[in-house]
Amino acid sequence: MEIALFTLGGTISVPSVPSVPSGGGAGARLSGDEIVAAVPGLRELGVALDVQDVRAVPSASLTFAQVLDVVEDASRAVSEGAAGVVVTQGTDTLEETAFLVDLVWRHEAPFVLTGAMRNPDLAGADGPANVLAAVRVAVSSPARGLGALVVLNDEIHAARWVRKTHSTSTATFASPNAGPVGHVIEGRVRVLTGPPRREVLTGGLERVRLDATRVALHCVALDDDGAQLEVLGQSHQGLVVAGFGVGHVPSVLVPGLEALAARMPVVLTSRTGGGSVLRHTYGAVGSEADLQRRGLINGGMLDPYKARVLLRLLLTSGAGRDEIVAAFAEHG
Ligand code: GLU
């Protein structure tokens, strides 16, 4: 059995005290071969790894286009016989890259993303255990058909539900609305539940259009006057609003958001980190019902970051308003 393993950089690849100044210069990071060589028990699994070093960057610097390029390479590898895919990257943007992959991954083969919270030179470095668990999941039958998965800390999370919830904990990845879909226990992959099957976005993701499609994310805050929103109409093609609680914003923001919603899709999400935006419980100016009446699209249970990923892909693929509303009804 073969796994295609792609490396993109991140903590799993970078010692805490770099051997070159400024952290992350050429030569400072471990290659994919070095990462897998440090994993006890990996060779004994008998899984052939086709390791490809794609990027060596902090995940803050990854782009949609780079991730989609990896998906294309992974897709080719699976079509040519690989049983599954593992990607190692930084954890900071992993909840977004994983969802991006999930939206376009059309294979039954597992696409597993992993990383590390502790640098490889630290005591208790978690990278090796995470790579071992990720490979186990990538070759396992129970993980087939579940789309993109995030595997860290011996937990398996569905890309569409997972969040990074802590800045340093090795248990940072959690799925607040659902819990992990499975675990790796004594090396055995136990899948307990699975995300419902959803439509995969196909085609229309040309990189030129992607680069030209900007989706802003505005997180409302106490006494927010909305000044940041004023210029968005000129510079962006879509907006995600991270509202208070069940999807509320200060009333002073409402005229501006209504005007924006008349010219671009504006998606309403919650900044809370769990739960759903509501639809018809509150009616005050700036409430969820009021904002929907003024043209905002309900983001459902999608957090702001995932909503932004979905909206950017939809706009890139040329989706119109009805398709965007339908997509958020399906994914949200
Ligand atoms: N935690 C960072 C990330 O998500 C690691 C930074 C680095 O790789 O230099 O990528």
Side-chain angles (χ1 to χ4, degrees):
M1 221 177 303
E2 183 174 290
I3 289 295
L5 189 149
F6 301 88
T7 71
L8 296 175
T11 296
I12 195 167
S13 68
V14 67
S16 60
V17 183
S19 52
V20 295
S22 79
R29 290 177 188 266
L30 304 184
S31 67
D33 285 337
E34 289 169 322
I35 290 172
V36 301
V39 180
L42 185 55
R43 189 191 302 269
E44 289 75 4
L45 284 187
V47 176
L49 298 177
D50 180 13
V51 179
Q52 297 179 47
D53 291 312
V54 183
R55 309 266 158 200
V57 295
S59 70
S61 297
L62 291 172
T63 67
F64 278 52
Q66 290 167 359
V67 175
L68 290 173
D69 288 346
V70 171
V71 172
E72 273 177 19
D73 289 345
S75 196
R76 204 170 305 117
V78 164
S79 301
E80 289 168 2
V85 178
V86 171
V87 168
T88 61
Q89 67 157 87
T91 57
D92 288 348
T93 59
L94 205 147
E95 62 190 299
E96 286 159 90
T97 58
F99 186 57
L100 170 50
V101 172
D102 194 52
L103 289 171
V104 298
W105 184 244
R106 58 193 163 78
H107 302 274
E108 290 289 302
F111 192 119
V112 182
L113 297 97
T114 191
M117 293 301 291
R118 293 191 185 132
N119 310 77
D121 59 325
L122 295 184
D126 53 332
N130 290 338
V131 169
L132 186 61
V135 171
R136 288 188 195 278
V137 173
V139 293
S140 77
S141 322
R144 292 183 68 79
L146 300 182
L149 298 167
V150 171
V151 174
L152 279 96
N153 205 32
D154 280 343
E155 291 185 345
I156 309 166
H157 292 269
R160 71 189 61 165
W161 294 327
V162 75
R163 302 295 315 271
K164 184 174 183 180
T165 65
H166 194 283
S167 61
T168 57
S169 169
T170 53
T172 182
F173 285 95
S175 301
N177 290 323
V181 298
H183 302 267
V184 181
I185 301 169
E186 293 183 320
R188 182 175 162 211
V189 175
R190 303 291 311 271
V191 172
L192 308 174
T193 183
R197 295 305 293 249
R198 296 231 174 90
E199 285 287 309
V200 172
L201 301 180
T202 52
L205 296 175
E206 288 80 22
R207 304 302 185 259
V208 181
R209 289 174 59 139
L210 186 61
D211 289 344
T213 305
R214 293 203 181 98
V215 175
L217 171 57
H218 180 78
C219 181
V220 299
L222 184 67
D223 205 14
D224 186 349
D225 65 4
Q228 273 181 344
L229 295 168
E230 280 162 22
V231 292
L232 288 184
Q234 272 73 55
S235 54
H236 289 70
Q237 288 73 49
L239 168 65
V240 172
V241 177
F244 298 120
V246 297
H248 292 184
V249 304
S251 57
V252 295
L253 264 62
V254 170
L257 286 176
E258 184 170 17
L260 283 172
R263 51 191 301 177
M264 64 169 69
V266 180
V267 176
L268 182 63
T269 62
S270 172
R271 69 175 204 170
T272 58
S276 179
V277 164
L278 293 182
R279 293 177 186 277
H280 49 70
T281 296
Y282 297 94
V285 175
S287 68
E288 82 286 356
D290 179 54
L291 293 170
Q292 287 170 109
R293 209 165 36 240
R294 295 172 193 269
L296 274 71
I297 297 165
N298 191 302
M301 297 184 85
L302 281 181
D303 64 65
Y305 312 108
K306 292 196 203 302
R308 181 176 166 276
V309 170
L310 176 58
L311 183 55
R312 188 165 178 211
L313 286 197
L314 289 167
L315 285 168
T316 300
S317 69
R321 184 180 169 84
D322 289 349
E323 288 163 275
I324 291 171
V325 170
F328 275 92
E330 187 189 355
H331 291 274

